[in-house]
Amino acid sequence: MGDRSVLILERFDRYKSHRVGYMSAMTLIEGSDGDPRDYTEIAETLAEHGSQTSSDLRQLWRRVAFSIVIHNTDDHLRNHGFLRRGAGWRISPLFDVNPNPDVAAQRVTGIGGAHLRSDGITGLMTSLETFDLTHAEAKRTLREVLDATADWRRVAAKNGIAESEQDHFVGAFDGVREELADHASEVYSSHGSSNRSSEQPRVPKGMPGAGQFGHKRTRGDGPVQ
C-alpha cells in the first residue's frame, strides 16, 4: 500500500462464505501453552481423530523433517492446525515456518523425545512406525525434502535477499544437510530395510514418544486452549 509492501493471504479456514472447522494441535492433544510436548503425541492423537490418518501422518513426518533441515524451532502447538473434514480432522496447510539462524536453539516441540538439533535426526528416524511410514518411504521423503531446499541461496537472491544476509542462515539451512543425507543412505539398504535396526528400534504403535530419548506422553492439567 503506497510505498510499502503488503502480504495478502487466502485463509484456509474459509470456503466461499462458509467457515471451516479448525483447531490447533494444542486443542487436539489437550495441551497448554508452555507444555513440553512431542510430535509423537500429535501423531497418536491424530490417528484417533483423523479422517485420512495415514496420509496426514506421513505429511506430518515430512514437515518435521523439513523443520529439521531448515532449523525451524518455533514449532509450538499453536503453529500446527487441523481442519474439519467429514467425520474427522485433516492436517491444515503449513504455516508460520521460519529458519532460525541460532543453531544452538532448541525446538519447542520434541520429536521422539529430542529437542536438541543434534538429536533431532535420531528422533525423527526412530519414530517411523508412529507416523505409519516404512523405511523406504522415509528415505524417499528425506531425499525430496533435501532436494527441495538445496537451492535456497538462489531462491533467496531471487527474492532480493543480500548475500550478507544469506550468510546468517548458512548454519540453519546447511548445518545438518550432509549429516541427514549420510544418515539416510546409511540407515537404508536398497530394499528399504534398516542396516542399524539393532541400534535404533522403531517406536511401537500405542507408545508415543517411547523412542531414543524416552519421552512419555502426559496430559496437560490446564484447560484446553
Side-chain angles (χ1 to χ4, degrees):
M1 301 179 67
D3 60 349
R4 303 183 67 179
S5 298
V6 177
L7 177 63
I8 300 177
L9 300 175
E10 181 179 358
R11 295 188 60 152
F12 54 70
D13 62 343
R14 297 290 189 275
Y15 178 72
K16 296 181 179 180
S17 61
H18 304 289
R19 294 189 64 176
V20 179
Y22 173 86
M23 69 173 172
S24 69
M26 180 178 293
T27 298
L28 179 72
I29 69 170
E30 301 181 17
S32 300
D33 283 319
D35 280 353
R37 309 307 283 258
D38 200 278
Y39 280 106
T40 54
E41 295 182 76
I42 300 176
E44 291 283 347
T45 310
L46 179 60
E48 299 172 4
H49 301 287
S51 59
Q52 295 187 37
T53 302
S54 184
S55 61
D56 279 353
L57 287 175
R58 296 173 186 182
Q59 174 62 216
L60 180 59
W61 192 88
R62 177 187 293 268
R63 294 181 184 188
V64 180
F66 177 66
S67 287
I68 290 175
V69 170
I70 70 168
H71 197 43
N72 168 53
T73 57
D74 188 30
D75 56 346
H76 56 79
L77 297 178
R78 292 186 186 274
N79 278 347
H80 303 280
F82 300 88
L83 299 171
R84 189 68 176 179
R85 291 288 188 266
W89 297 87
R90 299 258 3 232
I91 194 168
S92 76
L94 189 65
F95 62 93
D96 204 0
V97 175
N98 297 283
N100 187 347
D102 180 5
V103 295
Q106 297 186 32
R107 66 176 52 261
V108 176
T109 301
I111 173 63
H115 288 265
L116 294 173
R117 193 181 197 190
S118 57
D119 297 331
I121 296 174
T122 303
L124 184 72
M125 303 311 298
T126 56
S127 302
L128 296 185
E129 189 168 346
T130 303
F131 293 85
D132 199 26
L133 275 169
T134 66
H135 287 109
E137 290 166 340
K139 180 179 180 180
R140 181 171 60 251
T141 298
L142 288 176
R143 286 177 173 172
E144 291 171 353
V145 171
L146 289 169
D147 288 346
T149 55
D151 209 14
W152 68 271
R153 274 193 178 273
R154 182 190 63 79
V155 174
K158 184 178 180 180
N159 284 275
I161 300 177
E163 186 173 352
S164 59
E165 289 296 315
Q166 296 175 32
D167 290 342
H168 291 297
F169 291 89
V170 171
F173 281 96
D174 295 336
V176 297
R177 179 174 301 276
E178 184 175 350
E179 179 186 354
L180 189 55
D182 289 345
H183 184 90
S185 63
E186 289 172 2
V187 168
Y188 308 106
S189 71
S190 59
H191 299 290
S193 60
S194 173
N195 291 332
R196 297 190 296 179
S197 58
S198 61
E199 298 176 24
Q200 298 181 1
R202 297 172 70 184
V203 180
K205 288 187 176 181
M207 296 180 62
Q212 184 81 8
F213 303 95
H215 177 87
K216 294 183 179 179
R217 181 174 178 176
T218 57
R219 291 288 186 180
D221 295 327
V224 176
Q225 302 295 314

